[in-house]
Amino acid sequence: PPDAAVTAILIVLSALAMGVQSAAIHRLEVSGVPTTYITGTLTNLVSRLMGRANRKSKPVFKHSALLAAVWIVYLGGAVAAAVVLHLHPPLAEMLPAALILLVIIIAAAAFRPR
């Protein structure tokens, strides 16, 4: 196995590659192509903040706030998963399925025909 420095370099290079992939898809305006969700969200957020902030239109900033909130939720989820994995590994295996089931139940209740 590679040493810690090589591993860190490989992680950084992988992150850069995902960022380049997301930026390319964003630049080509290929909608509906899921590439890398987390880096895609970050790329979209930074693009909106840097490229369109000069327009000062409210929808851009509202959408940017939503993207920033999504990214905060990503980070919070990662921290929560790490804590649960450290404290109770069996629960870490069941928690994602339980959360998906919860989302399905809430969505079914919220979007059921009236």
Side-chain angles (χ1 to χ4, degrees):
D3 64 2
V6 172
T7 301
I9 290 170
L10 291 173
I11 290 170
V12 169
L13 290 175
S14 297
L16 287 172
M18 287 188 292
V20 168
Q21 177 184 356
S22 293
I25 293 297
H26 184 76
R27 177 72 173 117
L28 293 172
E29 297 178 4
V30 181
S31 63
V33 177
T35 57
T36 53
Y37 289 101
I38 292 177
T39 54
T41 303
L42 182 60
T43 301
N44 198 356
L45 172 63
V46 172
S47 174
R48 287 182 175 277
L49 290 176
M50 300 305 293
R52 299 180 185 159
N54 295 334
R55 294 184 191 165
K56 299 197 189 302
S57 62
K58 290 183 182 179
V60 169
F61 290 109
K62 284 183 182 178
H63 193 256
S64 297
L66 176 63
L67 290 173
V70 167
W71 230 80
I72 289 169
V73 170
Y74 287 159
L75 292 174
V79 169
V83 169
V84 170
L85 184 60
H86 178 72
L87 296 177
H88 198 313
L91 180 61
E93 294 174 8
M94 295 181 290
L95 191 59
L99 290 174
I100 290 170
L101 182 61
L102 179 63
V103 168
I104 291 170
I105 291 169
I106 291 171
F111 296 108
R112 72 172 179 235
R114 296 175 190 206

